[in-house]
């Protein structure tokens, strides 16, 4: 059974940083594609970043230059380091694991950025 769990969210002031973590079980992990999404109240879920099994990374325009996605296959974790946070980054952040032709989602972790 595939399970995905995010952690690391919290309250931070604009300009500061947060590091989110995603831990997945029940997958081969090293070959999995992982993505980060976020959803603010009243808005559609938005893709933020992705890392594939070969380590290639991709970012949305809003994340590029500020966020970094990485993976540690030994620890079976994927991280999203968010620097220079803005108020508009406030959202619930979700980790998505792609495995066996299906998508699996964590429960989300709240990130709130205050001015």
């Amino acid at each position: 059974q595939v399970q995905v769990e995010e952690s690391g969210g919290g309250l931070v002031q604009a300009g500061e940083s947060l590091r989110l973590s995603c831990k997945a079980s029940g997958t081969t992990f090293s070959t999995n594609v992982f993505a980060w999404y976020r959803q603010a109240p009243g808005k559609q879920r938005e893709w933020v970043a992705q890392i594939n099994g070969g380590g290639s990374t991709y970012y949305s325009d809003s994340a590029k230059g500020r966020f970094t996605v990485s993976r540690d296959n030994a620890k079976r974790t994927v991280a999203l380091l968010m620097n220079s946070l803005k108020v508009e980054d406030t959202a619930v952040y979700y980790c998505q694991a792609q495995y066996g032709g299906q998508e699996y989602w964590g429960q989300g972790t709240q990130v709130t950025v205050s001015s």
Side-chain angles (χ1 to χ4, degrees), residues 5 7 18 24-25 30 33 35 44-45 50 55 61 68 71 92 99 101 103 110 115:
E5 183 177 6
S7 62
L18 273 180
S25 61
S30 62
V33 173
Q44 189 174 351
R45 187 169 297 185
Q50 178 179 303
D61 288 340
T68 302
R71 65 193 300 159
V92 177
Y99 177 71
E103 299 175 354
Q110 176 71 47
S115 61

Side-chain angles (χ1 to χ4, degrees), residues 20-72:
L20 306 182
S21 293
C22 173
K23 187 172 181 64
S25 61
T27 76
T28 55
F29 197 94
S30 62
T31 59
N32 292 351
V33 173
F34 285 87
W36 286 95
Y37 288 75
R38 67 187 183 187
Q39 188 168 25
K43 293 186 177 181
Q44 189 174 351
R45 187 169 297 185
E46 173 192 17
W47 174 79
V48 176
Q50 178 179 303
I51 184 166
N52 66 17
S56 297
T57 58
Y58 308 88
Y59 301 93
S60 67
D61 288 340
S62 62
K64 191 177 302 180
R66 299 189 299 130
F67 294 2
T68 302
V69 63
S70 61
R71 65 193 300 159
D72 186 331

Side-chain angles (χ1 to χ4, degrees), residues 44-45 82 88 101 112:
Q44 189 174 351
R45 187 169 297 185
M82 304 184 294
E88 50 263 45
T112 303

